[in-house]
């Protein structure tokens, strides 16, 4: 009985901590977007303060965070956070969409990743084992966004070498990757040079 109560309390503490970090990370993202949009010294200081609050929260709870797990995929080290490797991704959706190598991680629990560093993205993905996280990705094939809920259960060491067959049946063909990159660039340029109406 005591062990069950202690485990339940620990799970609740982990959940509260994860939710608080999500809230702080959302505030950080919004502060960085404001600073970027307005090029204002005050907004820049607010973004730095938000980053400091996130770091303090994570440092204060490092012992708890050490037991947290990821979801079983690896992403690129800088934005856009492209999926490089998928291993043992446990999707909780009723009709899950396949997460493919080359898809881009756009948001985690509603927090956009474009203004975040890799360490911040990882800290959003990590959480208590068995809990879920909502990932929003953009398909490299269709450029459409999709959302999937995955369970935190996996720890992929940073120094672990990626296998040559990165995902069964979903090999990233260099010619298709080049075509996707070219298509993405052309769409980006089209968006930049649209005539004003």
């Amino acid at each position: 009985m005591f062990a069950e109560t202690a485990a339940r309390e620990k799970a609740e503490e982990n959940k509260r901590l994860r939710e608080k970090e999500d809230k702080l990370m959302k505030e950080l993202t919004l502060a960085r977007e404001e600073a970027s949009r307005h090029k204002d010294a005050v907004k820049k200081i607010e973004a730095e303060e938000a980053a400091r609050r996130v770091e303090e929260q994570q440092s204060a709870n490092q012992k708890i965070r050490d037991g947290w797990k990821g979801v079983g995929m690896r992403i690129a080290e800088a934005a856009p956070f492209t999926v490089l490797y998928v291993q043992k991704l446990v999707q909780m959706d009723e009709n899950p969409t396949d997460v493919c190598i080359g898809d881009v991680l756009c948001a985690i629990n509603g927090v956009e990743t474009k203004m975040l560093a890799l360490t911040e993205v990882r800290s959003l993905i990590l959480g208590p084992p068995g809990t879920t996280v909502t990932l929003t990705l953009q398909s490299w094939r269709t450029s459409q966004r999709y959302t999937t809920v995955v369970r935190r259960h996996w720890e992929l060491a940073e120094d672990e070498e990626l296998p040559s067959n990165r995902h069964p049946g979903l090999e990233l063909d260099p010619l298709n990757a080049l075509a996707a990159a070219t298509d993405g660039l052309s769409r980006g340029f089209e968006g930049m040079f649209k005539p004003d109406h």
Side-chain angles (χ1 to χ4, degrees):
M1 186 75 157
F2 176 73
E4 289 175 14
T5 303
R8 192 171 35 254
E9 287 174 359
K10 182 178 178 182
E12 283 299 315
E13 180 184 9
N14 269 300
K15 182 180 176 186
R16 281 191 302 275
L17 179 59
R18 177 70 269 160
E19 289 171 352
K20 185 171 184 176
E21 281 194 24
D22 285 350
K23 181 179 179 237
L24 289 171
M25 201 63 80
K26 187 170 252 178
E27 290 171 5
L28 171 60
T29 303
L30 293 173
R32 284 184 180 160
E33 286 175 0
E34 283 292 308
S36 173
R37 200 173 309 131
H38 298 290
K39 307 286 189 226
D40 181 345
V42 173
K43 297 291 183 189
K44 184 177 179 186
I45 291 169
E46 289 173 1
E48 290 169 357
E49 281 295 308
R52 184 190 52 75
R53 286 191 299 274
V54 168
E55 288 175 24
E56 286 176 357
Q57 173 72 19
Q58 291 174 344
S59 294
N61 297 295
Q62 190 58 47
K63 187 175 180 181
I64 295 170
R65 296 179 92 255
D66 285 342
W68 286 5
K69 302 291 183 198
V71 296
M73 74 177 190
R74 176 152 318 154
I75 57 174
E77 294 187 8
F81 296 103
T82 305
V83 175
L84 301 176
Y85 179 58
V86 179
Q87 180 177 358
K88 298 190 191 266
L89 193 68
V90 179
Q91 293 177 289
M92 307 304 286
D93 306 298
E94 205 169 293
N95 298 308
T97 302
D98 284 338
V99 175
C100 298
I101 295 165
D103 290 357
V104 175
L105 180 60
C106 302
I108 304 154
N109 284 341
V111 178
E112 291 289 322
T113 61
K114 65 185 170 199
M115 294 295 215
L116 300 177
L118 177 64
T119 55
E120 296 162 340
V121 170
R122 280 187 180 160
S123 74
L124 277 170
I125 292 173
L126 293 175
T131 61
T132 60
V133 59
T134 302
L135 305 177
T136 303
L137 298 106
Q138 181 177 357
S139 170
W140 72 272
R141 290 183 177 127
T142 65
S143 298
Q144 296 296 311
R145 281 188 170 205
Y146 64 94
T147 300
T148 186
V149 178
V150 295
R151 187 170 46 125
R152 294 175 172 118
H153 71 289
W154 189 260
E155 188 168 349
L156 183 63
E158 288 183 38
D159 59 347
E160 187 174 333
E161 194 169 310
L162 299 178
S164 57
N165 78 338
R166 296 175 181 226
H167 192 280
L170 293 173
E171 296 289 331
L172 187 57
D173 177 8
L175 294 177
N176 286 342
L178 179 60
T182 303
D183 182 52
L185 283 173
S186 66
R187 288 181 190 194
F189 286 129
E190 287 171 11
M192 288 172 53
F193 299 112
K194 284 187 178 174
D196 293 333
H197 295 289

